[in-house]
Amino acid sequence: MDKFLAGVDIGNSSTEVAIAKVQGTQLHFVSQYLVKTTGIKGTIDNVKGIRFALTEAAKKAEIHFHDIELIRLNDAVPVIGDLAMDLISETIITESSMIGHNPDTPGGAGLGIGTTILIDQLEKVEKSDKEFIVVVPNPFDYEIVAHLINRAMDQGTAITGAVVQKDDGVLIHNRLNKKIPIVDEVALIEKVPLSKLAAVEVALPGHVIRTLSNPYGLATVFDLDSDQTKQISLVAKALVGNRSAVVIRTPQGEVVERKIEAGKVFLKGSNNQQLSVSINDGAETLMQTYEKLESLIDVQGETGTNVGGMFNGLRQDLSLLTDQSPEEIKISDFLAVDAVIPTSISGSMAGELSMESGVALASMVKTDRIPVERVAAQLKKDTGIPVEVGGIEAEMAIRGALTTPGTGKPIVILDMGGGSTDAAMMTETGKLTSTHLAGAGDMVTMLINSELALENLELAEKIKKNPLGKVVSLFHMQLEDGTTLFSDTPFPPYTFGRVVIREEKELTPISSKASMEKIRDIRRSAKRRVFVTNALRSLKKILPTGNLKHISSVVMLGGSALDFEIPQMITEELGKYGIVAGFANIRGSEGPRNAVATGLVLSSIHKEVLR
Ligand code: ADP
Ligand code: MG
C-alpha cells in the first residue's frame, strides 16, 4: 500500500499543508491546501483548521485521510505578531478624568465608588446614605488622615476609597478600622475634580485591575448608556494592565476636554541599556532610538497612556493564552510607522473628520514557550495519526524555497506573512541565521483601513490586493495607470462615477470620498512603509556584517509575496544594493506559497524530490 506524509505549517495568518506519497526512496507531492489559522498560532484552537486543511488536501489527492502515515508540524517560533497592532495618538476624552498610574505601594485592594471630597471637609458632611472618596493633598499626615477617616466612618459616613498625593497608601491603610482601596503618589492632586462621582480600584500585588480597564465595567460603575460607554472606552483602554486607577466622571454640560497622552516607550536593551522615547516624536525617531540598542530585550509603555494600554493589553492576552505570567512575556521587536489618523471632531454635526498624525505600531512577542507540543498531542488524539514536531521553521522554509528552480545554497529568503516578516540565510556549508520581525501584510491592511477611515477591514484587504479604476461611462473605465479600458458589456449601474476595486471577476465600489489617486497613494505608501522598511531591517539582521552588499540574491516567500506590487517595490529597493530579488516558485508550481509545509515533508527523509 502507498504511504503518505503530511507537512503542516501553522502561521500567524494561514495554516498550510502539503501531502506527499513516499515511493521507495522518493517523494512525490500529491496535494496542498491552505486555510485561515484557527485561533492564535501555537494554541489548541489550531487543531480545527489543521484537520480541515488535511481533509481537503486528502480529498484533492484522492486518498483517504487515514492513508496519511505521519503528520509533521512546524516547531512554531515563539513569536506572535498580529495580535499586537495599534494606532497610537493622543486622544481627547470629555466628561471624565482619569488617573492611571502604578504607584509601587498602593493601599488595600478592591473597588470603591463615591463622590470626591477633600479630607478636611469630611466632618462637615451631613448624615446621608451618600458614599465618598476622600482626596488627600500633601500637607495631611498619614496619622491624621487615618484618624479623620476612622472618625467619619464611626459617625456613619460611608467612605469607599481614597486618592492620596504622598506615598502614604500603605501607612494609612494599616491604620484604618475598615479597609478601603487607596491610590497614592498622585502628584497633581489639585487636578482631581471635587464633588464628582469617582471610582478607585486597586488590585492585589501581582494582579491587574479588572473593572476600570473594561468599558462595560465603567458603564456599570457610572450607569452609562451605550453612547457614553463608547466615549469612555478610550479611558478603559488606557488603563489596561494597571495595578491601580481612579476614574472620575464630570457631568454632562461641563464639557472639559482632557487628553490621554500617546505616551512614552521604554526600550530595554542588553547590557542594562535603557532608552525612552515619546510616541509624539514620530516613527522615525522611535526606530532610530531602537537602532541605538545593541539588542532589544523588552519594551514597556508608560502606564495610563495609550501606548501603555497597548503593550499591557498584549502582555495580558498572551499570558492568558500561554499560561505564563505577564512578566515572562517580552516584546522582541516592534515596527513603528507614521500614520494619519482620521479623528472625529467633537461637536461636529455631520461626522466630520480631522486628520491627525499618529504612529502605527506592530510588535512581536516572545514567550518562553509556545505550546506546540500540546497542539501535536491534541491533533494525534483527534486523528489517531502519529504527529511529529520537527524542524526549525526558518530551516524548513529554506528547504522548501530550495525547490524553486534556479536556486541553490547559499540562499537568503524573505518570508512576508500576515503578522511578521522573517528572513533567513543558509550558507553553502548549511549554517543558518534567521530573524523574525514585527509588521507585515496585516499592518498594511490596518494602515489602509485607518487612513481611508473605512472602518471595514475586509474592504481594506481588497484594496490592498487589487488595482483600482474609475467608471466614467457605461462602457469605459479609467485605470489607475492612466490608461482607459473599454468594455463590450456595460458596467453595472452601482459602479457609475465611482472608484472601484478591480478584482478578477468583480468590481467593488469604494464608498470613501477619496479620489482614485489618493487611495492608490495610501495603498502604495502603506506597503512601502511596512515592507521596504522590514525587508532592509530583516536582511541586515541576518548578515553577520550587516552589510547588504554581501548578498547577491533574495527569494521572497509567503502570502504577501503574492501581492501585485510588494515584490516589485522590494526588488527595486534591493537593486540599489546590487541584490537580485524574485519570488519563489515552490516545487516549480506553487509560487511563493507552501514553503514551510514542503520543507517539513522533505526533511522527514533526505531523499530526492520528484516533480
Ligand atoms: P503567515 O505565514 O504569517 O500565516 P501568510 O504567508 O499566509 O502568513 O500571509 C498572509 C498575508 O498575506 C496576509 O496579510 C494577506 O493579506 C496576504 N496576502 C494573501 N494573498 C495575497 C495577495 N494575493 N495579495 C496580497 N497580499 C496577500
Ligand atoms: Mg508563514
Side-chain angles (χ1 to χ4, degrees):
M1 208 188 70
D2 288 329
K3 290 180 178 176
F4 292 89
L5 261 176
V8 176
D9 166 25
I10 313 163
N12 280 304
S13 313
S14 327
T15 298
E16 297 184 74
V17 307
I19 297 181
K21 182 155 59 169
V22 187
Q23 283 177 316
T25 63
Q26 291 178 320
L27 280 170
H28 186 81
F29 281 86
V30 290
S31 69
Q32 51 282 321
Y33 203 81
L34 178 147
V35 293
K36 195 172 169 358
T37 297
T38 46
I40 307 297
K41 166 180 172 175
T43 58
I44 304 272
D45 292 346
N46 299 160
V47 173
K48 202 170 141 217
I50 298 173
R51 284 180 60 182
F52 182 76
L54 284 173
T55 309
E56 291 302 309
K59 253 192 235 164
K60 249 168 95 179
E62 294 177 346
I63 62 169
H64 201 271
F65 191 93
H66 287 278
D67 295 337
I68 301 172
E69 224 171 45
L70 174 69
I71 301 171
R72 284 176 51 80
L73 281 188
N74 61 326
D75 194 358
V77 188
V79 288
I80 299 182
D82 56 357
L83 275 185
M85 261 181 344
D86 215 342
L87 278 160
I88 312 280
S89 66
E90 252 166 32
T91 43
I92 304 287
I93 48 172
T94 51
E95 294 166 26
S96 7
S97 330
M98 52 166 257
I99 302 165
H101 77 157
N102 275 338
D104 293 335
T105 49
L111 175 72
I113 303 162
T115 305
T116 47
I117 184 170
L118 266 182
I119 182 84
D120 58 357
Q121 300 297 307
L122 268 182
E123 48 187 0
K124 297 190 191 142
V125 168
E126 303 200 350
K127 244 187 129 50
S128 75
D129 42 14
K130 238 176 134 174
E131 300 187 320
F132 293 97
I133 303 275
V134 285
V135 177
V136 184
N138 250 344
F140 291 90
D141 186 72
Y142 59 88
E143 299 266 11
I144 296 177
V145 174
H147 169 73
L148 289 174
I149 294 177
N150 282 333
R151 193 178 66 186
M153 289 219 224
D154 287 345
Q155 290 167 353
T157 306
I159 297 169
T160 55
V163 186
V164 179
Q165 189 166 23
K166 269 192 245 179
D167 181 16
D168 280 354
V170 173
L171 295 170
I172 297 171
H173 186 259
N174 289 342
R175 288 164 176 76
L176 293 182
N177 302 331
K178 222 179 123 212
K179 305 297 186 191
I180 56 172
I182 303 173
V183 171
D184 62 0
E185 296 181 61
V186 176
L188 300 176
I189 199 133
E190 64 280 0
K191 295 233 166 131
V192 175
L194 297 171
S195 310
K196 302 287 183 281
L197 190 58
V200 172
E201 186 176 5
V202 175
L204 289 169
H207 290 254
V208 291
I209 55 168
R210 291 271 165 223
T211 306
L212 301 187
S213 57
N214 170 11
Y216 304 110
L218 284 171
T220 315
V221 167
F222 294 115
D223 194 18
L224 305 179
D225 64 25
S226 64
D227 278 346
Q228 293 167 319
T229 305
K230 206 171 161 193
Q231 258 254 333
I232 212 160
S233 64
L234 290 173
V235 172
K237 205 170 155 192
L239 293 177
V240 169
N242 277 19
R243 204 193 135 193
S244 68
V246 183
V247 176
I248 304 141
R249 274 294 278 175
T250 38
Q252 250 183 6
E254 253 179 72
V255 184
V256 185
E257 292 203 335
R258 279 170 224 276
K259 258 191 236 160
I260 300 179
E261 302 289 335
K264 278 201 202 99
V265 179
F266 304 102
L267 309 180
K268 220 175 111 192
S270 49
N271 300 328
N272 280 330
Q273 251 184 317
Q274 194 116 27
L275 298 171
S276 87
V277 52
S278 168
I279 292 280
N280 286 339
D281 291 343
E284 205 179 326
T285 313
L286 266 156
M287 294 314 282
Q288 280 167 358
T289 311
Y290 180 1
E291 272 173 32
K292 285 187 199 146
L293 292 180
E294 218 163 279
S295 65
L296 183 75
I297 292 178
D298 198 13
V299 182
Q300 305 271 349
E302 185 182 358
T303 55
T305 67
N306 285 326
V307 74
M310 171 188 163
F311 283 124
N312 282 332
L314 180 64
R315 258 183 249 279
Q316 251 178 61
D317 289 349
L318 281 167
S319 79
L320 288 177
L321 277 168
T322 58
D323 265 335
Q324 298 171 79
S325 76
E327 291 79 50
E328 284 174 89
I329 305 214
K330 306 281 184 219
I331 312 282
S332 61
D333 179 58
F334 69 88
L335 172 67
V337 309
D338 284 320
V340 176
I341 305 176
T343 321
S344 55
I345 303 167
S346 58
S348 78
M349 300 291 196
E352 295 95 331
L353 297 173
S354 74
M355 292 294 174
E356 294 190 7
S357 60
V359 168
L361 265 185
S363 53
M364 188 107 240
V365 171
K366 195 177 178 67
T367 71
D368 282 348
R369 60 198 134 93
I370 279 248
V372 182
E373 299 292 343
R374 293 214 303 239
V375 181
Q378 187 68 36
L379 185 62
K380 184 174 173 205
K381 200 170 143 218
D382 288 5
T383 58
I385 300 171
V387 180
E388 183 177 281
V389 178
I392 304 158
E393 191 166 312
E395 193 181 328
M396 298 302 112
I398 283 184
R399 269 181 177 271
L402 282 169
T403 64
T404 298
T407 56
K409 285 188 238 173
I411 184 172
V412 174
I413 58 164
L414 185 62
D415 181 352
M416 301 181 287
S420 72
T421 302
D422 306 334
M425 175 170 73
M426 191 174 269
T427 62
E428 226 150 349
T429 54
K431 218 178 121 228
L432 182 78
T433 44
S434 65
T435 187
H436 306 274
L437 298 185
D442 297 343
M443 193 182 195
V444 173
T445 307
M446 174 182 85
L447 286 168
I448 293 173
N449 183 45
S450 131
E451 299 198 325
L452 287 171
L454 299 174
E455 293 188 35
N456 181 342
L457 277 173
E458 268 165 50
L459 185 64
E461 180 83 8
K462 268 191 196 171
I463 292 178
K464 175 175 87 173
K465 288 180 182 167
N466 300 282
L468 301 167
K470 181 162 184 178
V471 179
V472 280
S473 83
L474 272 180
F475 295 99
H476 81 279
M477 183 188 327
Q478 197 200 329
L479 303 187
E480 61 170 50
D481 63 4
T483 58
T484 306
L485 177 87
F486 293 93
S487 169
D488 294 338
T489 47
F491 295 118
Y494 59 83
T495 62
F496 286 167
R498 306 287 289 277
V499 179
V500 293
I501 307 170
R502 294 173 54 224
E503 289 170 273
E504 239 160 76
K505 296 196 188 83
E506 220 182 330
L507 297 177
T508 308
I510 302 173
S511 55
S512 165
K513 287 196 192 83
S515 67
M516 179 163 72
E517 289 70 29
K518 173 90 185 167
I519 300 174
R520 177 175 186 264
D521 280 352
I522 288 178
R523 181 191 75 215
R524 291 181 60 88
S525 113
K527 289 175 182 175
R528 263 205 201 91
R529 276 176 278 170
V530 174
F531 280 109
V532 172
T533 315
N534 264 356
L536 295 176
R537 267 191 342 126
S538 60
L539 294 177
K540 277 180 194 156
K541 279 219 163 137
I542 54 166
L543 290 166
T545 54
N547 186 347
L548 291 185
K549 297 228 157 97
H550 291 162
I551 26 182
S552 58
S553 64
V554 169
V555 182
M556 292 180 268
L557 304 172
S560 297
L562 287 170
D563 190 88
F564 73 110
E565 309 174 289
I566 294 168
Q568 205 184 336
M569 289 176 178
I570 291 176
T571 300
E572 242 172 65
E573 182 68 26
L574 295 184
K576 296 180 192 162
Y577 301 87
I579 302 169
V580 180
F583 58 82
N585 192 10
I586 307 298
R587 291 188 258 122
S589 60
E590 299 308 308
R593 282 281 190 200
N594 210 259
V596 175
T598 296
L600 279 164
V601 171
L602 291 179
S603 66
S604 66
I605 34 176
H606 301 267
K607 305 213 170 110
E608 195 188 328
V609 195
L610 279 184
R611 287 222 179 91

